[in-house]
Every structure is written in structure tokens, then in C-alpha cells.
Amino acid sequence: GTGYTHLHEFAGGVDDGAYPMGDLTRIGEVFYGMTTQGGANNLGTVFRVNAEGTGHTNLHSFAGYPHDGAGPPGSLTLDGSTLYGMTQQGGTNPKKLGTVFRMRTDGSDYSVLHSFGGGAGDGATPLGSLTLANGALYGMTSVGGASNYCVLFRLNTDGTGYTNVHTFTVSPGDGSGPRGSLVLEGATLYGMTYYGGTGNKGVMFALTGLPESP
């Protein structure tokens, strides 16, 4: 518990982020993360910094609607040399309900894979992070779906095949309002919701039967 050190103090502005959320993702001696504000448009950043605190670089400044997301709420998910993440705002949809995006670890090839639109067939305003399972991305949104209580969704890593795997209903037998991320163990995804269950105080759930790689 000794030896606490500030490795980087966020300052906001064009060259730095501000108000980080989620966790750091480590690749060797480099950490990757996201901030909800700061950057060129003050809409959040993806950054990298060396493990000893040197070499901080903004790899991407979110630009918001109509071409980009804004305000990432969680952590980055690594697959090889590709990073995947979500934003809770922005996107190509005028409702600005968030995005799924990907980029290379060097900051190149940034693209929006999915812009959330809400309604019965889509989620909206994601929270938490993405989980990679059987070659596809899984995540949760805080609203959207047939009942507008949130969804658990699946998306191929190239942005195709968006599907609402489960639409939460906030009934005694279901949850609602997930705030975190999914955890993969074997062929099962585990998660939690803030509301739902018999006392409407939240549930822990498991999802099995995941399809094979796309």
C-alpha cells in the first residue's frame, strides 16, 4: 500500500482528456483508456499512456453527431491489435443515442460500427463495456428494446448482424437497467441489472446458448 504515485493528471483541453470512466486496458507496457470529456471537441477521448506515466497521447477525439460518438461510459475491449468500445451519446442517428466503434491500437482505422436508434429492434444509451465471445461483440444498453427497459445485444466485429439477444422487461422474473458489463465464463455470459426481480432491487443473470463464430 505504499508508493502511491500520480502517473498522469488529466487536464482537458485539445490535447488531453477529462473525467475518465471505466478501466484501463493493458498491452505490454502501454495502457489504453477513455475519458468522457476533453479532446478537440470536448466530447471525450481514447488515449494511450506508458505504464510509467510517460508518453500520454490522445489517439482519438470524439466528434459527436452526425459522424461519431461522444461520452464513452466504459472500457476498451482488445482483440489482437484492434480496440472496441462504446459511447453513450452521439452517432449517426439524430437522436444521438450512442455508438459501437473500433480502431487500431495505433489510433488508425477508426470507424463507427453501429449507431443506436432505440425502439423495439435496437438499444439506446449503452453503459459499461463490450465483451468478446465466439468472435462477436456483446453489450448492454440502459434503454431501448420492445419494452424500452434496455437490451442485451450482439454485433459482429465488422458491424454487421446487430441483434437484440434479450429484451429486459423489469418483471419479477427479469431485470432492467444494467449499469455494468458482461463477464464471459466458458460459453456463458453473466451480468447484473440495477432494477428488476421480485423486490425491484436488481438481479444477477446468466445467458447460455451463444451462437458460434459468425
Side-chain angles (χ1 to χ4, degrees):
T2 62
Y4 176 89
T5 304
H6 286 178
L7 296 179
H8 179 76
E9 294 191 6
F10 295 97
V14 175
D15 297 323
D16 202 354
Y19 306 112
M21 292 184 69
D23 303 319
L24 292 164
T25 299
R26 183 169 184 167
I27 307 174
E29 295 302 311
V30 178
F31 286 110
Y32 294 81
M34 297 189 287
T35 65
T36 58
Q37 295 183 32
N41 306 293
N42 200 32
L43 295 175
T45 68
V46 178
F47 68 88
R48 61 168 283 166
V49 62
N50 296 329
E52 71 272 19
T54 63
H56 175 272
T57 304
N58 280 350
L59 296 177
H60 181 75
S61 289
F62 293 100
Y65 174 80
H67 303 299
D68 198 2
S75 310
L76 294 161
T77 299
L78 177 67
D79 183 24
S81 61
T82 301
L83 294 165
Y84 297 91
M86 295 192 290
T87 67
Q88 60 184 329
Q89 301 166 0
T92 60
N93 189 298
K95 297 179 181 179
K96 306 175 185 178
L97 299 177
T99 68
V100 176
F101 67 87
R102 72 177 177 188
M103 64 187 297
R104 298 292 185 185
T105 52
D106 62 2
S108 64
D109 295 333
Y110 178 90
S111 63
V112 172
L113 298 178
H114 181 75
S115 287
F116 293 100
D122 202 351
T125 317
L127 296 172
S129 309
L130 294 164
T131 299
L132 191 66
N134 288 355
L137 300 166
Y138 289 82
M140 296 185 288
T141 66
S142 60
V143 292
S147 59
N148 203 36
Y149 283 123
C150 60
V151 303
L152 190 160
F153 68 87
R154 178 181 185 272
L155 181 71
N156 295 333
T157 55
D158 62 359
T160 62
Y162 177 92
T163 305
N164 284 346
V165 177
H166 179 74
T167 298
F168 296 95
T169 62
V170 78
S171 66
D174 202 358
S176 177
R179 298 291 190 269
S181 308
L182 296 162
V183 174
L184 178 66
E185 179 66 29
T188 302
L189 286 170
Y190 295 90
M192 297 189 293
T193 66
Y194 191 79
Y195 300 107
T198 304
N200 200 30
K201 294 180 172 61
V203 304
M204 177 180 170
F205 65 87
L207 177 71
T208 59
L210 305 181
E212 296 299 321
S213 301

